[in-house]
Amino acid sequence: MATVSGQLPRPQMRQRRRWGHYVVVALLLGAMLFYLAPVYVMVMNGLKDKSYMTLADMWKLPRYLNGGGFPAAWQALSPNLGNSLRMAIPSTVLGCLFGAANGYLLSKWKFKGSDVLFTLMLFGMFIPYQAILVALISTLQWMGIYGTWYGLTLVHIIYGLPIATLIFRNYFVGVPSELVEAARIDGAGLIGIFFQIMLPLALPAFVVVGIFQFTNIWNDFLFGVTVVFDPSNQPITVALYNLSGTNSVDWTVVMAGAVLAALPTALVYILLGRFFIRGLLAGSLKG
Amino acid sequence: MATASSAAARDTAATAARSRRFSLERVLAPLLLAPSAIALGVFVYGFIAFTVWVSLSNWRTNRRDLSLSDPLLRTYGTLFNTTRFQIDLRNTLVFTVIFLLLSAGVGLALAVLLDRKIFASGFFRSVFLFPYALSFITTGVAWRWIFNPETGVNLLFEQLGINHLLAQFGMEPLKPGWITDPTVAWQLNGVLAAVYPPAADWSLKLGIPMAMIPVTIAAAWQLSGFAMAMFLAGLGTVPGEVREAAALDGASGWQLYRDVIVPLLKPITISVLVILGHVSLKIFDLIFAMSGKGPGFATDVPGIFVFDKMFGAQQYNLGAAASIVMLVLVSIVIVPYLARQLKDL
Amino acid sequence: MTLTTTFAMRANRRLLLKGGAALTLGGLTLGRLGDLAAAQDESKLEIFSWLTSPGEAPALQALFDAFNAKYPDVEVINAAVAGGGGGAAQAVLQTRLQGNNPPDSWQTHIGRELIDQYVVPGYCLPISDIYEQEGFLEVMPQGLVEQASWESEQYSVPIGVHRGNGLFYNKSVLQDAGIAPPEKLAIDDFFAAADALKAKGVTGLALGSKDAFVPAQTFENVLLGVVGPETYRKLFAGEQPWDDPGVREAGDVLAHMLDYVNPDHSALTWDEAFALVIEGKAGMNTMGDWAWGEVIAKKAEDAIGWLNFPGTDGSFVLVVDSFPLPKGAPHPENSANWLRVIGSKEAQEAFNLLKGSIPARTDTDKSIFGPYHQWSMESFAKDELVPSCAHGQASSPQFKQALYDAATSFLVDRDVDALVVALSDAAAIDAENAS
């Protein structure tokens, strides 16, 4: 183990690190070009006018700046924006909480058969949704919540459980069990430990699960279109999908719509992104 | 570890009080898990049971017919004799392997690059994660244009003068067929035929459908950012002391990651692989929009097959059978692996 | 946070009340009572369709306007989902019908799609009385009405007719290759023209096979051109085996045509392939006449000419949208009134002008349509009306899917034997299902 702490790095080392730093930035910039290329295609073609858009010019800038397909896309998507928010926020929050509790119990309070239970729960993520639509609709009808946004929310919470549980469990496995032991000796119970110790520690995992759930629910189309049939209650993806018709498609509007529909999710990423702070956990472990 | 030994010392003193509470909490844990377990029991296992029944039934038109077929496994026989489904199984395997390697590898690399104090790291993180925010239905269209041999990247090769340069050296211009390329590379039928002669006549070509490569690139583009986010979260559990200790032991940055940190990421790596694996087995929207079934089904996958057979042809039993086969394959491949890995955790 | 709380309260109450009660026997009764209450309500009309895009939605709105002009107090719910055959719309509609939750009417092609998917399984009610009261039989061609009928009862009201066997060409591209814009084109003439275009370095036939219906539609047009309407109809009706020499010849012709298509066809949708013709990068394209909508959108009316697909003169391949009367419709009275309204002359004129199809009624005002549609209306009134398989009218959905798969494979392997085997097998399964 270390004997001396707070030692300053030697000068050559600092020099080497600085070079390494430039290499890393160069790599990141290169990767950025690749990641943004399709986004560039989507934005540029979304800004074009249908009568001028051709595939041969897909890399070129639009000829005129008149908004292209964006106004039409906004008009079509905006009425459904609220529906998506109303459904995605509660199902993300509740999905995260359930996932965190499950993951905590399955990693720190193992009981006989808990590993089997976990594997069985995990298996749920491989179920092909197309194949179970008929059974799902019948079940929701029987429960009396078919066609409602809270019915859809429940479906999203349930099918999000396996992944949320998986991420939280495997995250909590990495948290030293000594912390739980110590807290228990200090008199905290199962529930107290969860709220006082595990939840604050699990911020990065919450970010990941939150991103995953929110994005999946936001971009879900299949459940949105089958569970809710009243167009005034359907999520934004249904409106996005409906931009491309059966016998005619205006690609400029579709591209613009995709960019618009992604903005709320992107905002979530930017807001949550800063919680990926390395050492957050490390710092709290030191005490 | 110091914390561990002191905890152990305090442990002995409080054993009695603990054990009383312990028995109650032993019941509490399963009890709190029950709602999730019951919900998944109905919405997953109940529905799987229904799907199994449908796959064994005579429901092959739009008229619901839940009587059992005779012979019972008749639909499965039809399914495995369908060339398109055989092709789909091959395609899923190829897609899954390449896609997992690409997106987990790139995701880990990006996480390691961002796991330091760096200029605009928040900006880079958002850029790499952004593709995940976009709806698959539309990114598929953008990628279809990009990997169209007449327009997309090939146009860039032309405009950037790469082909001009190649011509200077007397080389052929670079113009891959991308998603329109019907060839199946590295065919194994010949090799297999040496052991099992009928393999030479199979209409299924065992090999790598070239049109699938651009599709895996598009899928990895979309999901590697999420893999990066998971690895970043995992890096958060690596205690600062470990890094400091390794650094003081003289480990270089590369050695630190290779020998110390990456091995510590094992639990999160399993999560990443399972989640990416489930995406690849269920992938539908992206391929549907990007390459469709591809030239000669080169990019067709079971998800599209199930959809076509269930809602296009209304052969509900065939679609259900295909999805059950997928589930069985998953349980054969993934569950034993999961069980073994989880035991160590 | 308020959202979450509201959600939790409402969802929980609903769930606990409904779900909990449903566990007891009483819950089921409550559910049934709710259904009955909904059935007596005639304040709404829910119409399911796949007319969603900015080019299609206004046409549907015109029908709603026509309905509301007569029934101003009824609120029309527009439950439209994009993507017809094999798309999401099919999945949603089938799931709802399976779950006994039909809309008040839905869009469907006439012919086998209507009969096999909805009438035979018992999802529809006969509407012969509406046909009689409104005089539809006098104003719609018999060949059309027959395809909306089963066991001498009518089951749906056709609203608009598309023509599936069109060949569209770029006038100046053909002229540059020394081809005078033809009046009609035999199959041999087509290949002569394609050769001339190839010599000029232009794609002869633009193809967009990314859309699953395109290979099937191209095959059925070739088949009709080779074997003629009589044999064509018999083949799909199961009265003639698919190993007919005519089918093989059609396979050979299609294989030959593939020598003239754009190499990136599997990466293009039909409209992107059609754009190649408008942009002058390809000479010809075979498509249903919804392609004319693209011509109008790109302001290319003067540049594009049209013909019957080679060999199909005298035939009109029907792609007809219609609306049936569901059994157990939530608002049955409105549902019947909807069918009366959309069969009217005014509604059909308004709808088809916007949709780019022609009215199912032959007594509408032709002068309000452009030259392309006037030509199509003349052909509709006098030509042999044959159903399209690619669009679900000529065959069961099982056969249609088999044709899609076989034609998709054919574009790569050009294996006529495999094509014939696949279609024969599908026909055998059809015969078995029918028995």
Side-chain angles (χ1 to χ4, degrees), chain C residues 58-90:
Chain C
L60 182 65
Q61 190 56 47
L63 290 181
F64 293 162
D65 292 345
F67 180 83
N68 277 139
K70 266 194 119 170
Y71 306 99
D73 300 333
V74 178
E75 183 199 344
V76 181
I77 299 173
N78 176 16
V81 179
Q90 279 290 329

Tab-separated table of all heavy atoms in Angstrom, chain C residues 58-90:
chain	number	residue	atom	x	y	z
C	58	PRO	N	-55.034	15.520	-46.046
C	58	PRO	CA	-56.096	16.433	-46.476
C	58	PRO	C	-57.245	15.714	-47.196
C	58	PRO	O	-58.401	16.124	-47.077
C	58	PRO	CB	-55.375	17.405	-47.428
C	58	PRO	CG	-53.956	17.338	-47.029
C	58	PRO	CD	-53.725	15.931	-46.571
C	59	ALA	N	-56.929	14.656	-47.937
C	59	ALA	CA	-57.978	13.911	-48.634
C	59	ALA	C	-58.929	13.278	-47.620
C	59	ALA	O	-60.151	13.329	-47.777
C	59	ALA	CB	-57.346	12.839	-49.517
C	60	LEU	N	-58.343	12.722	-46.563
C	60	LEU	CA	-59.172	12.119	-45.519
C	60	LEU	C	-60.007	13.199	-44.834
C	60	LEU	O	-61.197	13.005	-44.556
C	60	LEU	CB	-58.259	11.423	-44.505
C	60	LEU	CG	-58.949	10.688	-43.362
C	60	LEU	CD1	-59.760	9.526	-43.899
C	60	LEU	CD2	-57.920	10.181	-42.362
C	61	GLN	N	-59.380	14.342	-44.609
C	61	GLN	CA	-60.084	15.451	-43.970
C	61	GLN	C	-61.292	15.863	-44.816
C	61	GLN	O	-62.342	16.209	-44.270
C	61	GLN	CB	-59.117	16.627	-43.758
C	61	GLN	CG	-59.665	17.749	-42.880
C	61	GLN	CD	-60.118	17.269	-41.511
C	61	GLN	OE1	-59.409	16.529	-40.842
C	61	GLN	NE2	-61.321	17.657	-41.094
C	62	ALA	N	-61.155	15.793	-46.137
C	62	ALA	CA	-62.271	16.153	-47.019
C	62	ALA	C	-63.465	15.233	-46.771
C	62	ALA	O	-64.623	15.674	-46.796
C	62	ALA	CB	-61.832	16.081	-48.478
C	63	LEU	N	-63.175	13.941	-46.501
C	63	LEU	CA	-64.272	13.010	-46.189
C	63	LEU	C	-64.905	13.372	-44.845
C	63	LEU	O	-66.135	13.343	-44.700
C	63	LEU	CB	-63.747	11.575	-46.142
C	63	LEU	CG	-63.320	10.928	-47.454
C	63	LEU	CD1	-62.864	9.496	-47.213
C	63	LEU	CD2	-64.450	10.950	-48.469
C	64	PHE	N	-64.053	13.730	-43.870
C	64	PHE	CA	-64.578	14.119	-42.558
C	64	PHE	C	-65.457	15.362	-42.691
C	64	PHE	O	-66.526	15.446	-42.075
C	64	PHE	CB	-63.434	14.411	-41.579
C	64	PHE	CG	-62.622	13.200	-41.205
C	64	PHE	CD1	-61.369	13.334	-40.638
C	64	PHE	CD2	-63.111	11.912	-41.411
C	64	PHE	CE1	-60.620	12.226	-40.284
C	64	PHE	CE2	-62.374	10.801	-41.073
C	64	PHE	CZ	-61.122	10.954	-40.505
C	65	ASP	N	-64.984	16.317	-43.504
C	65	ASP	CA	-65.761	17.543	-43.699
C	65	ASP	C	-67.122	17.224	-44.313
C	65	ASP	O	-68.142	17.782	-43.903
C	65	ASP	CB	-64.985	18.523	-44.584
C	65	ASP	CG	-63.752	19.065	-43.882
C	65	ASP	OD1	-63.674	18.909	-42.637
C	65	ASP	OD2	-62.866	19.626	-44.558
C	66	ALA	N	-67.091	16.311	-45.291
C	66	ALA	CA	-68.361	15.937	-45.936
C	66	ALA	C	-69.290	15.293	-44.902
C	66	ALA	O	-70.503	15.548	-44.899
C	66	ALA	CB	-68.102	14.978	-47.084
C	67	PHE	N	-68.719	14.492	-44.017
C	67	PHE	CA	-69.544	13.835	-42.998
C	67	PHE	C	-70.095	14.865	-42.013
C	67	PHE	O	-71.294	14.851	-41.695
C	67	PHE	CB	-68.712	12.784	-42.251
C	67	PHE	CG	-69.483	12.052	-41.188
C	67	PHE	CD1	-70.281	10.972	-41.515
C	67	PHE	CD2	-69.407	12.445	-39.850
C	67	PHE	CE1	-71.009	10.300	-40.536
C	67	PHE	CE2	-70.124	11.785	-38.872
C	67	PHE	CZ	-70.929	10.707	-39.220
C	68	ASN	N	-69.222	15.763	-41.561
C	68	ASN	CA	-69.656	16.752	-40.580
C	68	ASN	C	-70.646	17.756	-41.151
C	68	ASN	O	-71.450	18.341	-40.417
C	68	ASN	CB	-68.448	17.487	-39.970
C	68	ASN	CG	-67.831	16.682	-38.815
C	68	ASN	OD1	-66.629	16.604	-38.685
C	68	ASN	ND2	-68.689	16.058	-38.003
C	69	ALA	N	-70.604	17.959	-42.480
C	69	ALA	CA	-71.588	18.851	-43.107
C	69	ALA	C	-72.993	18.292	-42.905
C	69	ALA	O	-73.956	19.039	-42.715
C	69	ALA	CB	-71.272	19.004	-44.589
C	70	LYS	N	-73.098	16.968	-42.935
C	70	LYS	CA	-74.413	16.342	-42.749
C	70	LYS	C	-74.711	16.053	-41.284
C	70	LYS	O	-75.857	16.095	-40.853
C	70	LYS	CB	-74.479	15.022	-43.537
C	70	LYS	CG	-75.076	15.191	-44.916
C	70	LYS	CD	-75.425	13.844	-45.516
C	70	LYS	CE	-76.915	13.742	-45.790
C	70	LYS	NZ	-77.231	12.535	-46.598
C	71	TYR	N	-73.681	15.738	-40.529
C	71	TYR	CA	-73.850	15.367	-39.113
C	71	TYR	C	-72.935	16.238	-38.253
C	71	TYR	O	-71.905	15.770	-37.763
C	71	TYR	CB	-73.536	13.881	-38.909
C	71	TYR	CG	-74.338	12.993	-39.823
C	71	TYR	CD1	-73.784	12.498	-40.996
C	71	TYR	CD2	-75.663	12.674	-39.526
C	71	TYR	CE1	-74.525	11.695	-41.861
C	71	TYR	CE2	-76.400	11.874	-40.378
C	71	TYR	CZ	-75.839	11.393	-41.546
C	71	TYR	OH	-76.567	10.620	-42.385
C	72	PRO	N	-73.310	17.510	-38.090
C	72	PRO	CA	-72.396	18.451	-37.426
C	72	PRO	C	-72.134	18.123	-35.952
C	72	PRO	O	-71.127	18.567	-35.405
C	72	PRO	CB	-73.095	19.797	-37.576
C	72	PRO	CG	-74.512	19.475	-37.898
C	72	PRO	CD	-74.546	18.131	-38.543
C	73	ASP	N	-73.001	17.358	-35.306
C	73	ASP	CA	-72.833	17.135	-33.871
C	73	ASP	C	-71.907	15.965	-33.538
C	73	ASP	O	-71.602	15.715	-32.378
C	73	ASP	CB	-74.197	16.882	-33.212
C	73	ASP	CG	-75.110	18.079	-33.403
C	73	ASP	OD1	-74.556	19.193	-33.538
C	73	ASP	OD2	-76.341	17.896	-33.444
C	74	VAL	N	-71.500	15.227	-34.565
C	74	VAL	CA	-70.667	14.057	-34.300
C	74	VAL	C	-69.194	14.432	-34.370
C	74	VAL	O	-68.751	15.079	-35.317
C	74	VAL	CB	-70.976	12.938	-35.327
C	74	VAL	CG1	-70.065	11.733	-35.078
C	74	VAL	CG2	-72.442	12.533	-35.243
C	75	GLU	N	-68.469	14.045	-33.338
C	75	GLU	CA	-67.030	14.320	-33.325
C	75	GLU	C	-66.304	13.176	-34.027
C	75	GLU	O	-66.428	12.021	-33.638
C	75	GLU	CB	-66.543	14.424	-31.879
C	75	GLU	CG	-65.084	14.789	-31.753
C	75	GLU	CD	-64.500	14.436	-30.385
C	75	GLU	OE1	-65.291	14.199	-29.440
C	75	GLU	OE2	-63.270	14.380	-30.273
C	76	VAL	N	-65.536	13.509	-35.075
C	76	VAL	CA	-64.809	12.477	-35.808
C	76	VAL	C	-63.424	12.300	-35.196
C	76	VAL	O	-62.675	13.260	-35.045
C	76	VAL	CB	-64.682	12.835	-37.305
C	76	VAL	CG1	-63.946	11.719	-38.033
C	76	VAL	CG2	-66.048	13.055	-37.917
C	77	ILE	N	-63.116	11.058	-34.804
C	77	ILE	CA	-61.782	10.764	-34.277
C	77	ILE	C	-60.953	10.156	-35.401
C	77	ILE	O	-61.314	9.125	-35.966
C	77	ILE	CB	-61.855	9.784	-33.095
C	77	ILE	CG1	-62.685	10.410	-31.972
C	77	ILE	CG2	-60.464	9.432	-32.592
C	77	ILE	CD1	-62.944	9.458	-30.829
C	78	ASN	N	-59.863	10.824	-35.719
C	78	ASN	CA	-59.031	10.382	-36.824
C	78	ASN	C	-57.921	9.470	-36.309
C	78	ASN	O	-56.836	9.915	-35.966
C	78	ASN	CB	-58.453	11.613	-37.525
C	78	ASN	CG	-57.497	11.234	-38.632
C	78	ASN	OD1	-57.473	10.092	-39.075
C	78	ASN	ND2	-56.704	12.199	-39.069
C	79	ALA	N	-58.198	8.175	-36.256
C	79	ALA	CA	-57.184	7.228	-35.779
C	79	ALA	C	-56.398	6.711	-36.974
C	79	ALA	O	-56.666	5.637	-37.489
C	79	ALA	CB	-57.849	6.076	-35.031
C	80	ALA	N	-55.438	7.514	-37.417
C	80	ALA	CA	-54.669	7.111	-38.591
C	80	ALA	C	-53.269	6.670	-38.187
C	80	ALA	O	-52.634	7.282	-37.347
C	80	ALA	CB	-54.577	8.264	-39.582
C	81	VAL	N	-52.797	5.593	-38.765
C	81	VAL	CA	-51.444	5.097	-38.537
C	81	VAL	C	-50.821	4.846	-39.902
C	81	VAL	O	-51.456	4.238	-40.766
C	81	VAL	CB	-51.448	3.772	-37.744
C	81	VAL	CG1	-50.023	3.281	-37.554
C	81	VAL	CG2	-52.128	3.947	-36.415
C	82	ALA	N	-49.594	5.318	-40.078
C	82	ALA	CA	-48.964	5.185	-41.388
C	82	ALA	C	-48.654	3.733	-41.724
C	82	ALA	O	-48.523	2.888	-40.852
C	82	ALA	CB	-47.681	6.007	-41.431
C	83	GLY	N	-48.514	3.483	-43.021
C	83	GLY	CA	-48.033	2.178	-43.453
C	83	GLY	C	-49.135	1.161	-43.574
C	83	GLY	O	-49.577	0.607	-42.586
C	84	GLY	N	-49.568	0.893	-44.780
C	84	GLY	CA	-50.671	-0.031	-45.003
C	84	GLY	C	-50.241	-1.476	-44.904
C	84	GLY	O	-49.960	-1.964	-43.821
C	85	GLY	N	-50.153	-2.155	-46.041
C	85	GLY	CA	-49.904	-3.592	-46.066
C	85	GLY	C	-48.613	-3.976	-45.363
C	85	GLY	O	-47.531	-3.571	-45.761
C	86	GLY	N	-48.729	-4.778	-44.309
C	86	GLY	CA	-47.535	-5.259	-43.624
C	86	GLY	C	-46.901	-4.226	-42.713
C	86	GLY	O	-45.973	-4.531	-41.987
C	87	GLY	N	-47.420	-3.013	-42.733
C	87	GLY	CA	-46.840	-1.982	-41.885
C	87	GLY	C	-47.475	-1.966	-40.517
C	87	GLY	O	-48.241	-2.866	-40.149
C	88	ALA	N	-47.172	-0.925	-39.753
C	88	ALA	CA	-47.664	-0.839	-38.387
C	88	ALA	C	-49.188	-0.780	-38.341
C	88	ALA	O	-49.805	-1.302	-37.422
C	88	ALA	CB	-47.065	0.375	-37.703
C	89	ALA	N	-49.790	-0.145	-39.344
C	89	ALA	CA	-51.237	0.001	-39.333
C	89	ALA	C	-51.916	-1.368	-39.252
C	89	ALA	O	-52.877	-1.553	-38.509
C	89	ALA	CB	-51.696	0.742	-40.586
C	90	GLN	N	-51.375	-2.328	-40.015
C	90	GLN	CA	-51.940	-3.676	-40.004
C	90	GLN	C	-51.879	-4.276	-38.599
C	90	GLN	O	-52.843	-4.855	-38.121
C	90	GLN	CB	-51.158	-4.579	-40.957
C	90	GLN	CG	-51.562	-4.423	-42.404
C	90	GLN	CD	-52.943	-4.972	-42.661
C	90	GLN	OE1	-53.374	-5.910	-42.013
C	90	GLN	NE2	-53.649	-4.369	-43.592
